[in-house]
Amino acid sequence: MATRITFDLPGASGESTTVVVPDDVAFALYDGLTNSRAVTDPKAEDFDELLASTSLLSRLITHLTLSRERHIAAADATSPNANRRAIGIAAAMQPSQLGVVLERNGRPRSRRA
């Protein structure tokens, strides 16, 4: 089964965009966006459907990870004294992980230099 999700994103056209995703992906996306504690098991039982959902989830995770990294770097760039502890907490990262992400995105790992 598939679920239609409509996005009303800001833009020049002002139009809505609808995407069709497998139900399992829709449930995972909804649960993640609503901060649900539950992680539901896949409803699909067909091998090909499960592979398609797995592939889509993997691409989504990769994209969200890159987007999170850019948001982290942008938050750090807002001020020379941006609160890196708060950024790390929001990103659910240890200070060492945060440093690697900042460096990978053109920000200094440490401000001590």
Side-chain angles (χ1 to χ4, degrees):
M1 301 290 295
T3 300
R4 295 166 86 56
I5 301 173
T6 301
F7 294 92
D8 293 323
L9 300 173
S13 65
E15 296 177 11
S16 297
T17 300
T18 300
V19 294
V20 178
V21 297
D23 288 345
D24 289 335
V25 173
F27 283 117
L29 184 60
Y30 178 81
D31 288 345
L33 289 171
T34 59
N35 203 27
S36 172
R37 300 267 184 233
V39 177
T40 57
D41 290 332
K43 305 292 187 255
E45 295 177 358
D46 179 73
F47 181 78
D48 290 335
E49 288 178 22
L50 289 165
L51 283 184
S53 292
T54 300
S55 177
L56 181 56
L57 286 167
S58 294
R59 290 192 313 270
L60 179 60
I61 290 165
T62 299
H63 187 85
L64 291 174
T65 299
L66 293 172
S67 182
R68 175 177 71 162
E69 287 190 7
R70 290 185 180 174
H71 279 81
I72 289 168
D76 187 63
T78 60
S79 165
N81 299 313
N83 186 338
R84 286 190 170 177
R85 185 172 188 274
I87 295 169
I89 290 169
M93 288 184 176
Q94 296 296 320
S96 59
Q97 292 173 293
L98 181 63
V100 169
V101 167
L102 289 170
E103 190 173 59
R104 187 169 42 234
N105 286 277
R107 303 289 304 154
R109 180 187 288 244
S110 172
R111 292 186 178 144
R112 294 183 190 151

Short mmCIF file of all heavy atoms in Angstrom, two decimals, residues 10 21 25 28 40 46 51 56 80 95-96 99 101 108 112:
data_model
loop_
_atom_site.label_atom_id
_atom_site.label_comp_id
_atom_site.label_asym_id
_atom_site.label_seq_id
_atom_site.Cartn_x
_atom_site.Cartn_y
_atom_site.Cartn_z
N PRO A 10 6.85 26.83 1.11
CA PRO A 10 6.94 28.19 0.59
C PRO A 10 7.77 28.19 -0.68
O PRO A 10 8.72 27.43 -0.83
CB PRO A 10 7.65 28.95 1.71
CG PRO A 10 8.36 27.91 2.50
CD PRO A 10 7.57 26.65 2.36
N VAL A 21 4.47 7.59 -1.00
CA VAL A 21 5.48 6.76 -0.35
C VAL A 21 4.83 5.51 0.19
O VAL A 21 3.62 5.48 0.46
CB VAL A 21 6.19 7.53 0.79
CG1 VAL A 21 6.95 8.73 0.27
CG2 VAL A 21 5.21 7.94 1.87
N VAL A 25 6.98 3.77 5.26
CA VAL A 25 7.78 4.99 5.28
C VAL A 25 6.94 6.15 5.80
O VAL A 25 7.43 6.97 6.59
CB VAL A 25 8.35 5.30 3.87
CG1 VAL A 25 9.05 6.65 3.84
CG2 VAL A 25 9.29 4.18 3.43
N ALA A 28 6.77 5.84 9.57
CA ALA A 28 8.05 6.19 10.19
C ALA A 28 8.27 7.70 10.15
O ALA A 28 8.71 8.30 11.14
CB ALA A 28 9.19 5.47 9.47
N THR A 40 7.23 1.45 14.87
CA THR A 40 6.37 0.34 14.45
C THR A 40 7.11 -0.61 13.53
O THR A 40 7.98 -0.21 12.76
CB THR A 40 5.11 0.87 13.73
OG1 THR A 40 5.52 1.67 12.62
CG2 THR A 40 4.25 1.71 14.65
N ASP A 46 5.97 -8.43 1.61
CA ASP A 46 6.58 -8.77 0.33
C ASP A 46 8.04 -8.29 0.31
O ASP A 46 8.34 -7.16 0.69
CB ASP A 46 5.79 -8.11 -0.81
CG ASP A 46 6.38 -8.41 -2.16
OD1 ASP A 46 6.23 -9.55 -2.62
OD2 ASP A 46 7.01 -7.49 -2.73
N LEU A 51 12.26 -4.10 0.46
CA LEU A 51 13.49 -3.53 -0.08
C LEU A 51 13.28 -2.10 -0.56
O LEU A 51 14.14 -1.24 -0.35
CB LEU A 51 14.02 -4.38 -1.24
CG LEU A 51 14.73 -5.67 -0.89
CD1 LEU A 51 15.28 -6.33 -2.15
CD2 LEU A 51 15.84 -5.44 0.12
N LEU A 56 14.31 3.62 0.32
CA LEU A 56 13.79 4.98 0.49
C LEU A 56 14.16 5.54 1.86
O LEU A 56 14.60 6.69 1.98
CB LEU A 56 12.28 5.00 0.29
CG LEU A 56 11.58 6.34 0.41
CD1 LEU A 56 12.18 7.36 -0.56
CD2 LEU A 56 10.10 6.18 0.14
N PRO A 80 30.28 34.30 17.01
CA PRO A 80 31.54 33.70 17.44
C PRO A 80 31.40 33.03 18.81
O PRO A 80 32.23 32.22 19.20
CB PRO A 80 32.51 34.88 17.53
CG PRO A 80 31.84 36.03 16.90
CD PRO A 80 30.38 35.74 16.80
N PRO A 95 30.53 16.20 22.28
CA PRO A 95 31.39 17.29 21.80
C PRO A 95 32.38 16.86 20.70
O PRO A 95 32.60 17.61 19.74
CB PRO A 95 32.13 17.74 23.06
CG PRO A 95 31.19 17.40 24.17
CD PRO A 95 30.51 16.12 23.74
N SER A 96 32.93 15.66 20.80
CA SER A 96 33.88 15.21 19.78
C SER A 96 33.18 15.02 18.43
O SER A 96 33.74 15.35 17.38
CB SER A 96 34.57 13.92 20.21
OG SER A 96 33.62 12.89 20.43
N GLY A 99 32.48 18.43 16.93
CA GLY A 99 33.68 19.01 16.35
C GLY A 99 33.95 18.47 14.96
O GLY A 99 34.31 19.22 14.04
N VAL A 101 31.74 17.23 12.84
CA VAL A 101 30.71 17.76 11.94
C VAL A 101 31.00 19.21 11.59
O VAL A 101 30.90 19.61 10.42
CB VAL A 101 29.30 17.62 12.58
CG1 VAL A 101 28.27 18.44 11.82
CG2 VAL A 101 28.89 16.16 12.64
N PRO A 108 35.53 25.88 12.42
CA PRO A 108 36.64 25.37 13.21
C PRO A 108 36.17 24.35 14.25
O PRO A 108 35.12 24.52 14.87
CB PRO A 108 37.20 26.62 13.91
CG PRO A 108 36.07 27.60 13.89
CD PRO A 108 35.24 27.27 12.68
N ARG A 112 39.74 27.46 20.35
CA ARG A 112 40.92 27.79 21.17
C ARG A 112 42.10 28.29 20.35
O ARG A 112 43.09 28.71 20.91
CB ARG A 112 41.36 26.57 21.97
CG ARG A 112 40.32 26.17 22.99
CD ARG A 112 40.80 25.03 23.81
NE ARG A 112 39.68 24.53 24.60
CZ ARG A 112 39.56 23.30 25.00
NH1 ARG A 112 40.47 22.40 24.69
NH2 ARG A 112 38.52 22.94 25.71
#
